[in-house]
Amino acid sequence: MVKASPSVEIEVDNRVVRISNPDRVYFPETGATKLDVAQYYLAVGPGIVNALWERPCMLHRFPKGLAGPKVHQKRLPQGAPDWVETVRLYFPRWGRTADELCVTELGAVIWAVQMSTVEFHPWNSRREDTEKPDEWRIDLDPGPDCPFSTVQTVAGVVRELLDELGAVGYPKTSGGSGMHVYVRIPAEHGFGDVRRAAHAFAREVERRAPKLVTTAWWRKDRDPAQLFVDFNQNTRDHTIACAYSIRGVADGRVSTPITWDETADVDPRDFTMRTVPARFAEIGDLHADIDDHPFSIEPLLEWADRDERDGAETPPEPDAG
């Protein structure tokens, strides 16, 4: 019989979180353990808390590590201490509610790791009004035959366009093959309007780089060598890994904030749970001041009106569950 690893207790501010099976290997390729995951999130604590602050959060859990099944969990796992906060959401497709994790302190992140969470996928709205997003997400999603150099080139187009709009964008690697740019917006519009604005922006990016970019709704209509500007990531209950989230890939890659100047030369493989803590200790959270730069989406809604007058169609919103 294999003897279970002893548990360890981690002090997080004024909380104590018990980590069971700390030596369980989560990343077979690197040997990183459950305890290594917890220590990574401690090292980037202010950044991960800023990224998750008061947002409903889906957890991507790996109870047996990457070698086992992945669990997408909306509802807070059972056994949470009373100080771990939640937010209640309603899912009209099923006529049900779910109490999702709502991070307000680092201890809640570490407790989620104890429950085998590797990835954190927050909504782009906050607890105060979950139906009004305050974050516009630009997802640069390369097709299967699209090189990362195209992602970098299109990121430059996105920056140029945001500058013209007077919007401050905050780029990060996706932790996969793409790149994300976040823009803080006032929580004044519903998901439909934010998605419509994001679609109008995506169309303008496509106009400026037609050989590289597509906004085709159906995957079958996309050239696999092009990059899809995925405006659907602004749909209700669509989530992507937040800044500083580890991704469930073999090398323990991290979705990492970068500067605009870095986008031209960045290699996402350089940012892993082993390397990002030192980077964070040196330069801090590059998204720390995102709340200080809100951008009104009204100009984008005017673009959407213009495009629709010219015959552009807005695809129906995917079912939000």
Side-chain angles (χ1 to χ4, degrees), residues 23-44:
D23 297 332
R24 175 172 287 161
V25 175
Y26 271 32
F27 294 83
E29 181 176 290
T30 66
T33 64
K34 183 178 183 179
L35 183 59
D36 291 329
V37 173
Q39 290 175 332
Y40 163 78
Y41 281 118
L42 288 171
V44 298

